[in-house]
């Protein structure tokens, strides 16, 4: 998937906590959320995206998002960061 190519950058964070922190700190440029993640897990990320005016990119599965991030475990959320 072409949209997931952006996750090959070293300027990214992986996981719910790090993604929420990046959004709150104004460092997030693009947010990715797995569609099959439990809503209670990703709801805070979705709310923070709304507040920051960021439209999250939906990825079909946790596994696919984890693979795109270069990790061997499922991932519910990730963010590509603004470059310093």
């Amino acid at each position: 998937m072409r949209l997931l190519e952006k996750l090959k950058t070293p300027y990214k964070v992986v996981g719910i906590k790090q993604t929420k922190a990046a959004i709150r700190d104004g460092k997030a440029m693009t947010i990715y959320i797995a569609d099959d993640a439990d809503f209670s897990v990703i709801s805070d990320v979705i709310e923070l995206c709304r507040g920051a005016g960021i439209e999250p990119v939906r990825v079909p599965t946790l596994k696919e998002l984890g693979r795109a991030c270069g990790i061997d475990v499922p991932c519910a959320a990730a963010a590509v960061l603004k470059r310093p």
Side-chain angles (χ1 to χ4, degrees):
M1 182 181 261
R2 182 166 259 158
L3 287 174
L4 296 178
E5 289 295 315
K6 289 183 179 180
L7 286 169
K8 292 188 177 181
T9 179
Y11 300 103
K12 70 175 177 274
V13 293
V14 179
I16 293 292
K17 287 181 183 180
Q18 291 180 328
T19 299
K20 289 192 313 187
I23 298 167
R24 277 195 292 270
D25 296 343
K27 295 179 180 178
M29 183 172 60
T30 307
I31 306 298
Y32 295 87
I33 297 175
D35 274 338
D36 64 343
D38 189 300
F39 184 74
S40 66
V41 173
I42 60 171
S43 61
D44 287 346
V45 174
I46 293 170
E47 279 301 311
L48 286 169
C49 283
R50 281 189 193 130
I54 300 171
E55 182 65 35
V57 176
R58 304 304 285 231
V59 180
T61 67
L62 292 152
K63 229 176 187 178
E64 185 176 349
L65 184 53
R67 215 174 309 122
C69 291
I71 59 175
D72 293 327
V73 294
C75 175
V80 174
L81 304 175
K82 297 174 183 172
R83 295 193 180 200

